[in-house]
Amino acid sequence: MRQRTIGDFTISAIGLGTMPMSVEGRPSPEQSIATIHAALDAGVTLLDTADAYHLAGHNEAGHGEELIARALRQYGGDTSSVLVATKGGHLRPERGTWALDGHPDYLKEAAKASAKRLGVDAIDLYQFHRPDPLVPFGDSVGALAELLDEGVIRMAGVSNTNSEQIRQANAILNGRLASVQNQYSPQFVSSADEIMVCEAMSIAFLPWRPLGGISATSARGEAYDIFREIAVSHDESPQVIALAWELAKSKCVIPIPGASRPESIRDSVRASVVDLTTEELDRLDRALGIKVS
């Protein structure tokens, strides 16, 4: 599998998003752990979660973190190269709603609670989940700086941010911003500018929900035929082609497709070895309404 970097860490070019293992419709813990183990067997070394990944309205914050910790303990192979990323600042108080808390004191306590659930002295990568309109963004990022200085976290990231916020966060962190996690997929391409900013600043860009739009019934269904045609020519699934298309956008891009079955992540990791031609990439961009230079 191709490799990418986050800070000083060298990791797989495809990560595993564990949100589907913790929210509504989630599989059994046994199936989730089998999925994580399948990812590790396939060479995945980035596992992404958040303390808000749990059933809404239930007192089970950190379900995803505890699941990853359990899976790593039970894995029979070497896990020393696995980077676990988690997030804080988002809450799920009841079904159908999300809440925000970007207060520095809350973020610092949430990070320490996440470290405890993960069973680590320091979290590999801790990301501010989403800006809180009631708290100055700089204050929230300042909490990440304190967590770095205290050794609670090894690397800091932000999520759901625009280009200006990325630059601001990196300045507050004195050049230590390691990652940005924004939505990016065939269905949602408006974070293209943020990818360019991350590339220029050597910051990893982690697209969440990277497979959005890859279905014949999606909002971008008209582009599905192009993905399918190219997939057939490579003997791969349209999902694999979507991830390969994202990887081709920049060497800073590390997709984190969500999965709840071993078969799903085994399919996704194949994107790391698929080389799309310039002509194929241009066809996909045009199908999605992206200007081709």
Side-chain angles (χ1 to χ4, degrees), residues 131-243:
D132 182 347
L134 300 181
V135 179
F137 181 69
D139 291 354
S140 300
V141 176
L144 299 183
E146 291 183 36
L147 289 167
L148 282 169
D149 293 340
E150 294 172 12
V152 177
I153 65 177
R154 293 190 174 92
M155 295 187 292
V158 292
S159 182
N160 300 297
T161 48
N162 58 37
S163 296
E164 181 181 350
Q165 290 169 325
I166 293 169
R167 295 188 183 96
Q168 180 185 0
N170 195 49
I172 292 171
L173 294 169
N174 294 318
R176 295 181 292 175
L177 183 65
S179 69
V180 171
Q181 188 172 143
N182 280 12
Q183 185 176 11
Y184 190 79
S185 69
Q187 189 175 30
F188 191 94
V189 298
S190 63
S191 281
D193 288 344
E194 285 69 37
I195 291 177
M196 294 177 63
V197 170
C198 287
E199 182 176 50
M201 300 172 69
S202 298
I203 296 168
F205 184 90
L206 281 56
W208 60 265
R209 202 168 179 264
L211 296 176
I214 300 302
S215 73
T217 59
S218 72
R220 290 294 183 94
E222 68 276 6
Y224 176 77
D225 288 341
I226 306 299
F227 279 90
R228 184 179 58 187
E229 289 175 18
I230 294 175
V232 169
S233 69
H234 286 268
D235 194 25
E236 294 288 358
S237 69
Q239 288 77 11
V240 166
I241 298 305
L243 295 174

Side-chain angles (χ1 to χ4, degrees), residues 4 13 15 38 54 83 94 107 123 153 177-178 195 246 265 281 285 289:
R4 295 280 161 96
H54 60 81
L83 186 156
E94 57 186 66
L107 289 175
I123 297 171
I153 65 177
L177 183 65
I195 291 177
E246 290 169 29
I265 190 60
L281 293 169
D285 280 352

Side-chain angles (χ1 to χ4, degrees), residues 42-54:
V44 171
T45 53
L46 171 62
L47 305 177
D48 179 81
T49 188
D51 61 4
Y53 293 169
H54 60 81

Side-chain angles (χ1 to χ4, degrees), residues 29-30 33 37 65-75:
E30 291 74 20
I33 289 173
H37 287 176
E65 295 166 333
E66 293 175 342
L67 196 63
I68 287 177
R70 179 180 167 188
L72 291 175
R73 287 195 304 269
Q74 294 180 0
Y75 187 63

